[in-house]
Each structure stands twice: as C-alpha cells, then as structure tokens.
Amino acid sequence: MQDRSVLITGSASGIGRAACERFLSAGWRVVAADYNASAGEALAREWSSAFPATDGRPRIRFVRADVSLEADVEAAVAAARELGGRLDCVINNAGVGGAFGPIDEISVADFDYTFAVLMRGVFLGTKHAVRVFKAQGDGGCIINTGSIAGISGGSGPQTYSAAKAAVLNFTRATALELAPRRIRVNSVSPGVIRTPLSESGKQDVGAAMAGFQPWPGTGEPDHIARVMEFLAGDGAEFITGENIVVDGGLLAGGARLDDRIGGNPAMRNLVGVNRGSTGERHAWRKL
Ligand SMILES: NC(=O)c1ccc[n+]([C@@H]2O[C@H](COP(=O)([O-])OP(=O)(O)OC[C@H]3O[C@@H](n4cnc5c(N)ncnc54)[C@H](O)[C@@H]3O)[C@@H](O)[C@H]2O)c1
C-alpha cells in the first residue's frame, strides 16, 4: 500500500478530514485539497509530523483548490500524481449545503453555485483523474460523495437534493463508460453525519442526532471514511457503479408509518400470523 496516492477534496473538515487520516494511517500518500486554505494548511502541518516523509518524499501535501474551477482541479490531480509518482484514487468529496429556502425565492446565482460545487466539482475531478488513469494504462478508482438527499426528497434543500441525485447517476454512467479500462467509479451516500456541515444553522442538532436513525449512536465522519478506504482497496476490485448508503438504517425505515401512527394499539404485546383474506384463521398469542 506504501506507494498508492490519493487526492481527497473537501479535506479540511468533516468527512474529507477523516478520509485523509484514514488513508494516511493505511500508508497512502495523500494530497488534501480544500477551498479553506487556513484550515487545510493547519491540518496538513499536523499530519506531516504524524506521518513523516518516506523514501525522501512527503506523505501529505495540502493544495488550495476550488473544485468548481477546472484549473484548480487539474492542478490538484497533478499534485497527487507527482506526490506518489502515480495516481491511484480520487475522492470527490467537497461540498456545501448550498441554496436553501422556498423554491420561488431561490436565486439563479445560488442555484448555480450549488451545482458548481457539488456536481461540476465531481465532473472535473473525474475528468482529470481519468486523463491520468488513461495515460497510466492500469485502471484507477474514483469515489464520489453522494447523500441520502440524492435518493429521496425530504433530506435536504431541493437544490442540494437534485445536485446529489445528479452525482449518483453521473457515478453510474461514468462507471459504465470506464469499466473496460478497469477504472472503478462508486459513490458513498452518508446519512446524518456529525460534521460542521450537518450542524450549521440547526439548533441542538448534535443532541438530537443520536435518535435520527435506527442504529444507536451518532453518524461520525470515520463511518464514511472507512467505506471509502474499502472502496479504494483491492477488496472492492469487482465493485463499480455502486452507491453505498451509510446511514445507520435511516433510509431502510422508508415512510416509517408505524412510528408515525403508533402502529395498531390492539396488536401491542401480541405475536402471531395474519393470514389475510385466505379464509384461514389468524393466529396469535400474548407476549
Ligand atoms: N455531514 C453529513 O451529514 C452529510 C450527509 C450527506 C452528504 N454529505 C456530503 O459529504 C461531503 C463532505 O461534507 P462534510 O459533512 O464533511 O462537510 P464539511 O463542511 O465538514 O466539509 C466540507 C469541506 O468541503 C470544503 N469545500 C466547500 N466548497 C469547496 C470548494 N468549492 N472547493 C473545495 N473545497 C470546498 C469546505 O471548505 C470543507 O472543508 C459533502 O459532499 C456533503 O454534501 C454530508
């Protein structure tokens, strides 16, 4: 694993930060890219002492990049290739909440900004990673951060939700295109994960988070980073075009009508079988 190199965008906070730490711990060389230069550079300094250079080359480098700008993304991809002597993986993770509010009040500028960061950023990261992967000629790996908001309504602002849905289908479409070259493209869709993004502007959200999903406890950035590490590794060799939802069972609950209407009170404390309209008798016993 020593000489594998990865570019991780949105590295200065939350999920991207956890991914940098996980990949560094696993022996990768990491180029950490973020819009926020002061936070990103401070972290890179910490990581440089925790993960010192090997073979005369640093293990970590920070690059200031706006993922919505092609020149920035191209330079970040090139930096990762230079650091490792080759490029193995790009993680398109940078994100913002973007436009919010009633649909009839949202400005075109805010809509475009949201799509530029969330969707154009993934397009540019993929485009420039693929140029390098094709030149290397031995495959590659792209991981995009989606969201449960890209799968259903009701999990985020409408523009964010639409941009994340676009990311998920862009992942599938590019996976098909690139499979013959052994370039794998997958996405990870977090549920509610404790990061500055999910906590911003919401009152007491930290305290409420533990109860959001069926799984006890809170979604943490490393829950997502661990799945990214798996997707980048040899164990995921035959996985492409996949979206892995990491949400503690939140989406599995679907409409959760039982929770909302409290179930059928007459059936509480009973166990048995309902044989429907078959004419056969139902059976039950008290617990
Ligand atoms: N936290 C959650 O609950 C959650 C849920 C679903 C999906 N996500 C997604 O996970 C990803 C990471 O989010 P997070 O929760 O870690 O948020 P975060 O705010 O903690 O980190 C996001 C990072 O992206 C950077 N960034 C923003 N715009 C950028 C740009 N134009 N160019 C480069 N960097 C930029 C920020 O500076 C920040 O460091 C995002 O794509 C987000 O949509 C998060």
Side-chain angles (χ1 to χ4, degrees), residues 99-111:
F100 63 91
I103 190 65
D104 52 331
E105 297 292 338
I106 286 176
S107 71
V108 169
D110 289 348
F111 176 91

Side-chain angles (χ1 to χ4, degrees), residues 12-266:
S13 178
I15 292 166
R17 172 182 175 164
C20 287
E21 288 165 359
R22 196 148 263 286
F23 278 73
L24 283 165
S25 299
W28 290 65
R29 291 186 199 274
V30 175
V31 165
D34 205 284
Y35 189 96
N36 186 333
S38 55
E41 275 160 7
L43 277 172
R45 274 194 296 278
E46 275 177 36
W47 294 332
S48 295
S49 42
F51 302 97
T54 53
D55 304 326
R57 273 180 296 152
R59 295 274 319 284
I60 170 78
R61 189 180 152 197
F62 175 75
V63 173
R64 199 264 166 192
D66 178 344
V67 295
S68 68
L69 300 179
E70 183 157 25
D72 282 16
V73 176
E74 189 173 9
V77 169
R81 185 187 196 179
E82 194 188 312
L83 189 73
R86 55 173 283 111
L87 180 69
D88 294 285
C89 184
V90 168
I91 303 185
N92 295 308
N93 168 77
V96 290
F100 63 91
I103 190 65
D104 52 331
E105 297 292 338
I106 286 176
S107 71
V108 169
D110 289 348
F111 176 91
D112 285 349
Y113 166 73
T114 311
F115 265 74
V117 177
L118 295 178
M119 183 56 236
R120 192 199 299 161
V122 171
F123 155 67
L124 290 173
T126 304
K127 173 178 172 177
H128 289 284
V130 167
R131 284 190 171 170
V132 174
F133 292 152
K134 281 185 176 176
Q136 292 177 167
D138 59 354
C141 168
I142 295 166
I143 300 167
N144 300 321
T145 304
S147 171
I148 57 166
I151 298 170
S152 72
S155 302
Q158 68 291 85
T159 309
Y160 178 90
S161 191
K164 288 296 189 181
V167 167
L168 300 190
N169 238 21
F170 183 79
T171 301
R172 296 182 186 105
T174 49
L176 288 188
E177 181 181 333
L178 299 166
R181 292 180 179 270
R182 297 183 181 272
I183 299 169
R184 300 185 297 106
V185 192
N186 294 294
S187 52
V188 181
S189 283
V192 183
I193 305 298
R194 187 159 52 183
T195 72
L197 181 68
S198 58
E199 291 177 334
S200 64
K202 296 168 200 151
Q203 284 182 337
D204 296 332
V205 75
M209 270 184 174
F212 278 171
Q213 58 279 312
W215 192 262
T218 305
E220 300 292 344
D222 193 53
H223 287 134
I224 310 303
R226 274 186 267 173
V227 176
M228 291 171 165
E229 186 193 4
F230 162 70
L231 282 173
D234 294 339
E237 185 189 352
F238 201 51
I239 300 178
T240 196
E242 183 58 85
N243 176 49
I244 300 185
V245 174
V246 185
D247 70 346
L250 189 56
L251 279 191
R256 296 183 86 163
L257 284 183
D258 284 353
D259 289 354
R260 284 190 188 165
I261 60 179
N264 179 351

